[in-house]
């Protein structure tokens, strides 16, 4: 059973003007596909070839002999998750998630500030996350391919801050990209579904 590139959950131009069709074609069809191809090559004829993506991530996390497998598996998972975190006319938060965020962060504004800071202070490539750690919502960041899944946490929302996620549309203006995602594209309904699941 080979790993496959899932289709985007929307049209390539659906997130414009914030994320262009050109960016989505490059990011999804080239970058994401490369991680899928690499993962299939690395796991071919091994027991991991028939495992789920989550099982591959957990089996390879922290194993120095499986760094390539982990990086590619985590990047396949992270990107698939990231696409779900975006939607046209996003940014509106459902009441249940808003209540939980207020309970754990003090206010929606404080949460957005923390998420923005995580995204902006991730040095180099990586991800900013909203995740569930035990019974508490937290914001964090991970470098390169790392993911909360590898640390026993439950991801609810992410922002990709690898340059290929935004360079075509925003050049080196990561802050503008992060603001555009949080204010205009964030699929908080998806995050709420992850929290409820």
């Amino acid at each position: 059973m080979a790993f496959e590139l899932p289709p985007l959950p929307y049209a390539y131009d659906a997130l414009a003007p914030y994320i262009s069709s050109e960016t989505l074609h490059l990011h999804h069809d080239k970058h994401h596909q490369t991680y899928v191809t690499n993962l299939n090559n690395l796991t071919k004829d091994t027991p991991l070839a028939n495992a789920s993506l989550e099982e591959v991530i957990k089996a390879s996390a922290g194993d120095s002999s499986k760094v390539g497998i982990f990086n590619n598996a985590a990047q396949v998972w992270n990107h698939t998750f990231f696409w779900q975190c975006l939607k046209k006319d996003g940014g509106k938060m459902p009441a249940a998630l808003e209540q939980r965020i207020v309970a754990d962060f003090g206010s929606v504004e404080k949460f957005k500030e923390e998420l923005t800071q995580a995204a902006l202070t991730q040095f180099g490539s990586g991800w900013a996350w909203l995740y569930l750690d035990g019974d508490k919502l937290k914001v964090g960041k991970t470098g390169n391919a790392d993911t909360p899944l590898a640390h026993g946490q439950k991801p609810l929302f992410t922002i990709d801050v690898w340059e290929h996620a935004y360079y075509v549309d925003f050049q080196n203006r990561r802050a503008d990209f992060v603001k555009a995602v949080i204010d205009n594209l964030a699929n908080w309904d998806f995050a709420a579904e992850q929290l409820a699941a």
Side-chain angles (χ1 to χ4, degrees):
M1 171 183 93
F3 297 99
E4 295 181 356
L5 178 69
L8 287 173
Y10 29 72
Y12 285 94
D13 62 355
L15 305 180
Y18 309 106
I19 299 177
S20 66
S21 175
E22 181 182 4
T23 290
L24 285 180
H25 276 289
L26 289 168
H27 196 173
H28 177 265
D29 301 357
K30 303 295 185 201
H31 290 278
H32 195 175
Q33 178 63 65
T34 298
Y35 299 127
V36 172
T37 301
N38 289 345
L39 180 60
N40 282 320
N41 291 336
L42 289 165
T43 57
K44 186 177 179 184
D45 301 325
T46 75
L48 293 176
N50 294 313
S52 71
L53 211 44
E54 292 81 2
E55 290 167 341
V56 174
I57 289 167
K58 290 173 183 171
S60 60
D63 184 338
S64 61
S65 70
K66 293 186 174 82
V67 170
I69 292 172
F70 173 79
N71 285 339
N72 285 281
Q75 283 294 78
V76 171
W77 193 93
N78 289 350
H79 280 87
T80 301
F81 190 81
F82 175 58
W83 306 133
Q84 301 292 324
C85 291
L86 305 173
K87 72 174 184 177
K88 183 177 181 64
D89 300 324
K92 298 168 200 72
M93 196 173 286
L97 180 62
E98 183 173 335
Q99 290 168 357
R100 186 66 187 272
I101 281 175
V102 169
D104 284 349
F105 292 95
S107 69
V108 171
E109 293 72 25
K110 178 84 169 76
F111 157 69
K112 288 181 178 179
E113 286 171 14
E114 285 191 33
L115 184 61
T116 299
Q117 276 306 109
L120 298 184
T121 59
Q122 172 52 44
F123 183 78
S125 300
W127 303 82
W129 300 91
L130 170 65
Y131 61 91
L132 191 61
D133 188 13
D135 61 355
K136 186 162 176 59
L137 293 182
K138 294 184 178 178
V139 163
K141 57 188 175 181
T142 57
N144 298 316
D146 201 8
T147 175
L149 277 182
H151 306 282
Q153 299 151 341
K154 182 178 183 178
L156 306 179
F157 182 84
T158 194
I159 302 174
D160 185 345
V161 293
W162 284 65
E163 281 193 338
H164 64 240
Y166 59 87
Y167 209 84
V168 169
D169 302 314
F170 292 91
Q171 293 79 46
N172 64 339
R173 300 187 323 272
R174 184 188 285 188
D176 292 345
F177 168 71
V178 170
K179 180 172 174 41
V181 169
I182 292 173
D183 291 349
N184 302 290
L185 299 176
N187 186 353
W188 298 120
D189 292 316
F190 175 74
E193 289 164 11
Q194 302 315 297
L195 181 60

